[in-house]
Amino acid sequence: MQHDKVLILDFGSQYTQLIARRVRELNIYSEIHPFNKIPSNLEEYKAVILSGSPNSVRGEAALHPELDGIRGVKPMLAVCYGAQYLAHFSGGEVAPSNTREYGRANLSFIKTNEPFFAHIHTGSQVWMSHSDTIKKLPENGVLIASTHDVENAAYRIDGEETYAIQFHPEVYHSTDGKQLLENFLVSIAGVQQDWTPDSFVEETVEAIQEKVGGDKVVLGLSGGVDSTVAAVLLNKAIGDNLYCIFVNNGLLRKDEFESVLKQYEGMGLNVKGVDASDRFLDALKGIEDPELKRKAIGNAFIEVFDDEAHKLTDVKWLAQGTIYPDVIESVSATGGPSATIKSHHNVGGLPDFMKLKIVEPLRAIFKDEVRRVGATLGIDPELLGRHPFPGPGLGIRILGDITAEKVRILQEVDAIFINGLKSWGLYDKVWQAGAMLLPVNSVGVMGDERTYEKCVALRAVESTDGMTADWVNLPYEFLQKTSNDIINKVKGVNRVVYDISSKPPATIEWE
């Protein structure tokens, strides 16, 4: 890949992925690495950004990056924890704030003629998120911006291309954050803005052809955006040597198996549909624990996929729809729980006995970039705009044990809800939506008769990446009609509720 690259060192901030995505939005390629695993090929990176952190530079658990070869050598931007780190360990002073500095603030002072703040003016809103504050700048520090409550909101190091800020330019609430990143990366660091979906497709196709050659590749399709884009990209690179398998686990949305296969027909992909619904339902019989359900679904998928893959001859590669967040989350900056590699939803995690080499054409890009690449490849916008759907499907939206009858009920409910969102013009305003079948019955009255039937919960959230999410304030009229349609048309349901929990503290799925 012949592009300028930006290195982002992660200190465990919840915002680190946002930094990378904002940099990518500038058509600049960026990579995230843990602060304690700095790449050996530093010469390939044009600039470096230090992220924030939940840790304090004053504590015993302070995180210490090895900045030799970076500071004073390459343009560097230190954000929040990074800014405090440079101050605290370079002759400055960091102390607890009298009040926690969290939320919106406005720049009250910007030093004139600073290229770092070009096209940004006093009054610009920024987002603070820290409990320590910089009381004294580091040696050779030059103050370049303040807010009403934070005097040392931004500074630079005299004689270096090193800049530091106490606020977070990567979040939406910092209104000129993208401009600030562009000022640093383009105007100061001289990074080229040539990372585009078109260039990604061209380079990835060449890389796949070089890596795979004339070998055969098998891909497990999920019907979702990631695996579909991966399939079209691989097909562009190797054509008929790509074999796609789409497994119906019996936990898909209503009629989804048939409709997705039909969609793939017009895309020139070599796809085999395998209906293994009964096999999955048998594997799930009597299981109530959500993690055990996930494992049962994953194991059943492995068995079905392995059976089908063995029907092909001389397959040497397994393709996966892994995307960049999967890669990032497999490595923790602090050695925490995320150090365990997560199973990818479209393959369920495959065991060593399959002995296939791995090709992951999307592992360098985020979900929003996957959609842009898909558009470049000419994939139907309706398919690219599909809501995320959990790998275990309805299996984790049916709380408690799973039966064919419960699946039928939830499929009917889900279809009414999703089709209603589309017909009311609400689907594209929602990031993800679905229905949950609750393990409770409630008393109802239908036609003067007492009923004792299931309750379902509807869920619709807005988000950018699923890390945080807010519930969507759907119109009362829509909710009223949807509730009436579900109760009147789905036998077995007599009560509908709407989930108004945000993430955090709740999660998007109930299991």
Side-chain angles (χ1 to χ4, degrees):
M1 185 179 63
Q2 301 302 314
H3 296 279
D4 288 347
K5 297 196 292 186
V6 173
L7 172 63
I8 300 168
L9 294 183
D10 179 25
F11 292 87
S13 169
Q14 62 176 317
Y15 299 137
T16 304
Q17 284 196 33
L18 287 180
I19 299 175
R21 289 176 56 214
R22 293 292 174 264
V23 173
R24 299 278 186 95
E25 287 172 5
L26 295 169
N27 292 332
I28 293 172
Y29 181 71
S30 61
E31 289 180 357
I32 297 173
H33 290 265
F35 78 95
N36 54 357
K37 295 183 180 178
I38 297 174
S40 58
N41 55 335
L42 271 175
E43 70 281 356
E44 294 183 12
Y45 296 91
K46 192 91 171 181
V48 178
I49 299 176
L50 308 184
S51 84
S53 174
N55 294 67
S56 169
V57 298
R58 300 179 299 103
E60 292 183 5
L63 309 177
H64 295 275
E66 178 53 65
L67 296 180
D68 290 350
I70 296 177
R71 184 174 171 183
V73 179
K74 293 181 178 294
M76 183 172 73
L77 172 61
V79 177
C80 199
Y81 180 90
Q84 294 175 359
Y85 183 87
L86 293 182
H88 187 68
F89 293 102
S90 301
E93 180 187 354
V94 175
S97 302
N98 293 329
T99 58
R100 180 169 165 78
E101 295 167 348
Y102 183 86
R104 294 174 178 83
N106 297 93
L107 296 177
S108 58
F109 159 74
I110 296 176
K111 190 173 185 294
T112 56
N113 300 320
E114 284 290 339
F116 188 70
F117 282 108
H119 312 296
I120 301 174
H121 306 285
T122 54
S124 177
Q125 179 176 284
V126 296
W127 184 261
M128 297 287 186
S129 181
H130 53 93
S131 54
D132 288 345
T133 196
I134 298 171
K135 294 291 188 182
K136 177 186 173 185
L137 294 180
E139 185 178 346
N140 296 326
V142 177
L143 178 66
I144 56 176
S146 305
T147 69
H148 178 73
D149 295 319
V150 181
E151 179 183 3
N152 297 313
Y155 64 89
R156 61 176 171 81
I157 303 297
D158 203 21
E160 301 177 14
E161 288 185 321
T162 297
Y163 292 80
I165 52 178
Q166 273 282 257
F167 54 90
H168 290 268
E170 67 272 21
V171 303
Y172 171 80
H173 304 290
S174 290
T175 52
D176 291 314
K178 188 174 179 180
Q179 179 66 59
L180 186 144
L181 289 171
E182 184 171 5
N183 290 344
F184 170 69
L185 293 171
V186 180
S187 302
I188 295 171
V191 181
Q192 296 297 310
Q193 296 174 277
D194 56 2
W195 169 254
T196 65
D198 286 339
S199 66
F200 174 81
V201 170
E202 181 181 342
E203 292 160 10
T204 304
V205 166
E206 289 179 6
I208 292 169
Q209 290 171 338
E210 183 176 340
K211 183 175 186 177
V212 173
D215 294 344
K216 293 179 180 179
V217 178
V218 63
L219 167 66
L221 285 171
S222 69
V225 175
D226 299 340
S227 65
T228 300
V229 174
V232 175
L233 198 52
L234 284 158
N235 187 60
K236 186 177 177 69
I238 61 174
D240 292 341
N241 278 342
L242 174 65
Y243 296 83
C244 301
I245 299 172
F246 179 37
V247 177
N248 180 12
N249 60 9
L251 303 167
L252 302 175
R253 287 187 154 123
K254 183 181 179 181
D255 301 327
E256 187 172 32
F257 183 57
E258 295 79 12
S259 64
V260 169
L261 279 176
K262 190 172 182 180
Q263 265 187 317
Y264 285 143
E265 280 178 12
M267 297 171 66
L269 296 175
N270 178 15
V271 181
K272 180 180 180 181
V274 180
D275 188 352
S277 305
D278 293 341
R279 192 165 176 175
F280 280 85
L281 289 174
D282 286 343
L284 287 164
K285 193 171 294 182
I287 299 176
E288 296 187 5
D289 180 87
E291 285 308 306
L292 293 179
K293 286 195 285 188
R294 280 186 170 89
K295 288 180 180 177
I297 292 168
N299 289 336
F301 184 90
I302 289 169
E303 292 172 3
V304 174
F305 191 86
D306 189 46
D307 288 347
E308 295 301 321
H310 273 91
K311 294 176 184 178
L312 304 171
T313 57
D314 300 326
V315 173
K316 295 183 180 178
W317 295 86
L318 169 71
Q320 296 188 126
T322 310
I323 61 175
Y324 197 40
D326 298 328
V327 178
I328 298 168
E329 290 163 11
S330 72
V331 181
S332 168
T334 56
S338 62
T340 301
I341 296 175
K342 63 189 278 190
S343 297
H344 304 303
H345 73 278
N346 60 307
V347 295
L350 295 172
D352 292 338
F353 68 76
M354 290 196 70
K355 300 188 187 308
L356 295 173
K357 293 180 285 186
I358 303 295
V359 56
E360 297 169 315
L362 306 180
R363 67 178 284 116
I365 61 178
F366 290 97
K367 174 73 86 172
D368 49 343
E369 293 175 304
V370 173
R371 289 193 167 97
R372 290 200 291 273
V373 167
T376 296
L377 290 166
I379 297 174
D380 187 341
E382 184 176 342
L383 197 156
L384 293 176
R386 291 188 66 191
H387 290 175
F389 189 63
L394 301 181
I396 57 168
R397 292 184 176 177
I398 297 172
L399 278 65
D401 70 320
I402 297 172
T403 65
E405 175 62 8
K406 289 180 180 179
V407 172
R408 178 200 67 79
I409 290 173
L410 191 55
Q411 284 179 331
E412 296 289 344
V413 171
D414 178 85
I416 291 171
F417 185 32
I418 298 300
N419 290 336
L421 287 171
K422 291 178 179 177
S423 64
W424 279 62
L426 298 169
Y427 185 84
D428 291 335
K429 298 177 182 178
V430 172
W431 187 75
Q432 184 172 352
M436 319 296 160
L437 184 64
L438 307 187
V440 294
N441 283 26
S442 68
V443 174
V445 178
M446 290 185 183
D448 296 329
E449 292 185 4
R450 176 187 184 275
T451 62
Y452 191 57
E453 296 179 331
K454 294 293 182 187
C455 173
V456 294
L458 306 182
R459 182 100 161 111
V461 299
E462 53 188 4
S463 179
T464 55
D465 50 23
M467 296 173 66
T468 60
D470 289 323
W471 62 278
V472 178
N473 190 2
L474 296 174
Y476 286 144
E477 296 81 4
F478 168 77
L479 291 173
Q480 181 183 46
K481 183 175 188 328
T482 302
S483 175
N484 287 341
D485 285 348
I486 289 170
I487 292 171
N488 289 331
K489 296 177 181 178
V490 183
K491 184 179 179 181
V493 175
N494 69 356
R495 191 176 298 269
V496 177
V497 298
Y498 186 53
D499 182 351
I500 58 170
S501 311
S502 295
K503 177 186 179 181
T507 53
I508 294 175
E509 300 294 341
W510 281 42
E511 288 194 339

